[in-house]
Amino acid sequence: MPARALTTTLALSFAGTTLTVFALVGSTLYFTLDREIKRQDDLDIVLIARHTRRLAEELRSEDDVREHADRLTSQVLGHQALSMEIRDAGGANLVEHNTQSLADATFPAAALAGRLGASQRITERDVLEWQSARGVPARGLAADATLRDGTPVIVVIARDMTDRWRLLDRYRERLYLAGSVGMLLAFAASWLLVRESLRPLRDMAARAGAVTVERLDTPIEVDGAPRELETLVESLNAMLERLHGGFERMSQYTADLAHDMRTPLANLRGATEVALSRARSVPEYEALLESNLEECERLSRMIESVIFLARAEHPQFVTALAEFDAKEALAQIADYFEGLADDAGVNIRVTGSGRLRADKELFRRAVGNLLANALRYTPRGGEITMSVAQTASALEVTVANPGTPIDPALLERIFDRFYRADASRHSGPKSTASAGLGLAIVRTIMALHGGKASAMSDVNGTRFILSFPRR
């Protein structure tokens, strides 16, 4: 199903709202007018009935009623819709006026039987409403009156409501017309206003459509954008900035990866070409194979690290959290690196205590990378310290080693992929040569645990701190 245009949707919504308002207001006005008309007509009927009863009670007999018929009917004279009847006790008419207009809507017999007594006060509540068999609407009342000689008569006042119905019908038709025209005008005006209001969105779409991979650093700027769209513009620009940074890092990452893989491949190719340039002795071939094996191991470690980083950045990467003794885990890592430490003439010491909830394998890998890095840059005869300390909000694992301090401006960059500090600081054995991914892996592992990896360096040495949040 094709999506409806936002401009049309909003315009239809405004038009529907306008129609609803017209309907509510029109209905309120219609029913208010209907009640007011009925109230006014009922008041006229009541006043005429009261005055007619009073005049009738001043007359002596039924003959006087007939004689003064003009005086009695003067109460409804000039009102084409009003009629009057004065009947005797048997129901015969003594006086009547304009009753032919209500020939189809005579006073109901049942209501006539339940008429007001001569002593009862006539009020608007006593007015009745009825329709004839042919649907002629009427309102009226009947009340007793007593002549001076004690003869009872019946006063009947009624009003033909046909003209009122026609008036209300015309009023209702005008309301329908006004509502329909108002809805159409509201739709047209809303469509134009919404279209103009959405112009900044169209400008944003046009500018966003012009963004390409080569132009990710170009921000989206919309002149005269309303405040409601400022947040959207800022979010889009922030997204473009993140994408630009991600593409820049990916490009740099790809270039660094290619550069680092080129070195061992060049070494493999060069050594092999030299060996094949002439006949070699068995020890020379063995040395060549040993050198090639080291380069292959270096490539293997690099590829393994790249695969780990790619997997760790996937949202579905799973960590197996478990609680363990941090000092004991550090001691096991120290034992694993004991042979390399002896070759480098470095001592490893473990201090502190504390329990940690983390993925044990990832913990070992992170600390192992830090320890390998420390072995690489610790001078012979130095000591590497691995310690555990607890704070109010985290458990901190620190790997500290003496050596040439790192420039403070580089402390954050050392966690970037393929970044290496000055090669002159390297003093470790060839077997521990770095591919520039060890510290990047450490930072990724800490991010998986919701923690943070940081570094500090001064004349006393370099300290890498892993902060694991308490769970």
Side-chain angles (χ1 to χ4, degrees), residues 18 82 92 103 111 128 143 149 216 238 242 315 333 355 362 372 385 390 399 414 437 449:
T18 302
L82 285 170
L128 303 177
D149 62 359
L216 287 175
R242 291 193 299 270
I333 297 171
R355 296 191 65 79
L362 295 182
T385 302
Q390 298 187 29
V399 178
I414 60 177
L437 292 172
H449 287 83

Side-chain angles (χ1 to χ4, degrees), residues 66-125:
R66 294 187 183 93
E67 182 179 351
H68 295 87
D70 292 342
R71 182 183 176 190
L72 293 169
T73 58
S74 65
Q75 305 302 312
V76 295
L77 195 63
H79 296 276
Q80 297 297 323
L82 285 170
S83 66
M84 173 191 292
E85 293 179 76
I86 298 180
R87 306 178 183 179
D88 60 17
N93 283 338
L94 300 175
V95 175
E96 62 178 347
H97 175 78
N98 206 26
T99 54
Q100 65 276 8
S101 65
L102 290 174
D104 294 326
T106 55
F107 202 83
L112 191 62
R115 63 187 178 275
L116 295 172
S119 61
Q120 289 182 290
R121 178 178 172 81
I122 301 173
T123 64
E124 289 88 342
R125 291 191 297 271

Side-chain angles (χ1 to χ4, degrees), residues 252-271 295 298-299 302-303 418 420 435:
Q252 184 63 39
Y253 174 62
T254 304
D256 292 340
L257 178 61
H259 179 272
D260 277 60
M261 293 187 70
R262 185 186 303 140
T263 300
L265 288 174
N267 292 340
L268 284 171
R269 181 175 180 177
E295 297 297 340
R298 181 180 175 185
L299 281 172
M302 187 184 305
I303 294 172
F418 293 106
R420 298 186 187 85

Side-chain angles (χ1 to χ4, degrees), residues 78 88 111 150 179 181 193 227 260 265 281 299 336 356 359 461-462:
D88 60 17
V181 173
L193 290 174
R227 288 193 301 271
D260 277 60
L265 288 174
S281 63
L299 281 172
Y336 180 80
L356 174 65
D359 188 306
T462 301

Side-chain angles (χ1 to χ4, degrees), residues 411-425:
L411 286 178
E412 284 298 323
R413 293 192 59 192
I414 60 177
F415 289 98
D416 293 342
R417 298 175 184 180
F418 293 106
Y419 179 80
R420 298 186 187 85
D422 189 355
S424 62
R425 296 181 67 252

Side-chain angles (χ1 to χ4, degrees), residues 440-454:
I441 291 176
V442 172
R443 183 173 61 180
T444 300
I445 291 175
M446 293 308 298
L448 290 172
H449 287 83
K452 180 182 178 182
S454 58

